[in-house]
Amino acid sequence: MILADKTPNQTPHLPLGDQRTSPWYGKSIVSVKQFSRDDLTYIFEVAHEMREMVERIGTFDLLKGKILANLFYEPSTRTASSFTAAMERLGGSVIPINEVKYSSVAKGESLPDTVRSLECYSDVVVLRHPEIGASALAAKYARKPVINGGDGAGEHPTQALLDLFTIIEEHGQPDGLTITMLGDLKHGRTVHSLSRLLSLYDVRLNYVSPEILRMSSEIIKEIDEKGIPQSEYNELEEPLPETDVLYVTRVQKERFDDPEEYEKVKGAYVITPATLESAKEAMVLMHPLPRVGEISMELDDDPRAAYFRQMEYGMYVRMALLAMVLGKA
Ligand code: NCD
């Protein structure tokens, strides 16, 4: 009988803190407003180490014995699977609840009760929910960390972190860059979080959208108070030549009350090779995905197209966040 595991310890030399003094230990991540520039530097440092470890050994035991509950009330491909991959790469395991119709949610259970049940079996909960503020509510009731995987048209902090990590990997520090966000800026939670996060840097922000899909005045005011120049446009033509990062989003069909309004704006922008003729050679083209026609597949081989690299970076950032809230980084 094997009494002790004699395999050599594969735990990496990450900046491991004493978990009781680690500032993120046990904390929920519900909004990008929680992060300072120093926090971001730290998260990306850990994400880098995660990348190196994955490239070197694939999977290691930093979170061995820990369990993540992945609770998704809305569809997801990338967020759910990259959190699963992140947890498994760190040696932990996952309880996936993707189809809430098969769980007690379908019987009318409240979110606080579902989260308080799941945390009995797990160490951290990732929550995606259609209502703004759902993660904050869950975090209020939970004893274990809750990570916001998207709360309706509210925020998507882990996506914004991986978006910023992508910008830094592709361009270096964001200071001095012009970032143009295009598409559904009203309902798109990724741009709500990303614009707030970028306002910690010396950037210029352009917003391109149809009139009815403008960035909310509340967010514009918040960012304005940080002294960040912001401009709004209906068309991409004018801001494109000065753009360093073009961040494209899909029109969020599921958030429209009136399907006719969606029909009016659904094909508002399509980025093709011809569109990018006036763009900088070193511009980076990003998209949180899924795309539903906003970026032509003909651009996929253009070196400026970063959306698939962006997706891969997401796993490293999520590995860093899991290690942090579980006191291992
Ligand atoms: C985004 C989301 O869910 O907000 N997707 C993602 O997490 N990568 C973007 C979208 O759905 O349009």
Side-chain angles (χ1 to χ4, degrees), residues 190-211:
T190 69
V191 284
H192 298 165
S193 292
L194 182 59
S195 55
R196 285 180 166 126
L197 211 49
L198 284 167
S199 71
L200 294 173
Y201 298 83
D202 178 18
V203 294
R204 172 176 289 276
L205 297 178
N206 294 320
Y207 307 124
V208 181
S209 73
E211 210 68 52

Side-chain angles (χ1 to χ4, degrees), residues 74-76 78-79 128 149-150 152 156 159 188-190 249-250 252 254-255 287-290 318:
E74 278 191 341
S76 170
R78 280 147 288 268
T79 307
R128 170 168 289 187
H156 195 346
Q159 177 72 42
R189 54 195 172 200
T190 69
T249 64
R250 97 187 142 90
Q252 311 265 305
E254 68 276 28
R255 313 256 181 251
H287 194 305
L289 301 177
R318 288 175 172 135

Side-chain angles (χ1 to χ4, degrees), residues 38-184:
D38 284 348
D39 292 327
L40 300 174
T41 306
Y42 177 72
I43 294 167
F44 298 150
E45 220 177 86
V46 179
H48 262 288
E49 298 210 31
M50 294 297 185
R51 181 182 189 174
E52 271 169 33
M53 289 301 290
V54 169
E55 283 168 1
R56 243 178 336 123
I57 57 171
T59 297
F60 45 102
D61 285 348
L62 193 67
L63 296 183
K64 190 170 181 197
K66 300 288 183 193
I67 297 178
L68 158 70
N70 236 358
L71 177 59
F72 280 67
Y73 289 72
E74 278 191 341
S76 170
T77 301
R78 280 147 288 268
T79 307
S81 58
S82 68
F83 265 114
T84 299
M87 197 62 185
E88 292 187 356
R89 293 257 182 211
L90 291 167
S93 47
V94 182
I95 303 174
I97 304 188
N98 301 323
E99 296 269 6
V100 286
K101 62 175 182 279
Y102 297 127
S103 74
S104 284
V105 170
K107 300 179 191 166
E109 187 172 59
S110 71
L111 179 62
D113 282 1
T114 303
V115 169
R116 280 181 294 190
S117 307
L118 281 172
E119 69 177 356
C120 296
Y121 316 130
S122 61
D123 302 285
V124 52
V125 177
V126 172
L127 173 67
R128 170 168 289 187
H129 195 280
E131 280 166 46
I132 297 177
S135 289
L137 178 74
K140 190 173 141 198
Y141 285 92
R143 286 173 296 115
K144 310 255 174 82
V146 173
I147 300 179
N148 183 358
D151 60 330
E155 279 220 35
H156 195 346
T158 68
Q159 177 72 42
L161 289 169
L162 78 90
D163 292 341
L164 183 56
F165 186 70
T166 306
I167 293 173
I168 294 171
E169 288 296 295
E170 303 274 324
H171 261 306
Q173 280 305 310
D175 294 308
L177 296 181
T178 296
I179 294 102
T180 300
M181 300 183 184
L182 171 137
D184 188 347

Side-chain angles (χ1 to χ4, degrees), residues 184 186-187 210-214 251-268:
D184 188 347
K186 178 182 177 192
H187 305 109
E211 210 68 52
I212 61 165
L213 300 179
R214 290 270 185 251
V251 179
Q252 311 265 305
K253 183 179 183 183
E254 68 276 28
R255 313 256 181 251
F256 281 73
D257 296 327
D258 178 359
E260 273 178 32
E261 290 288 291
Y262 169 72
E263 289 301 320
K264 277 190 219 157
V265 288
K266 69 175 184 194

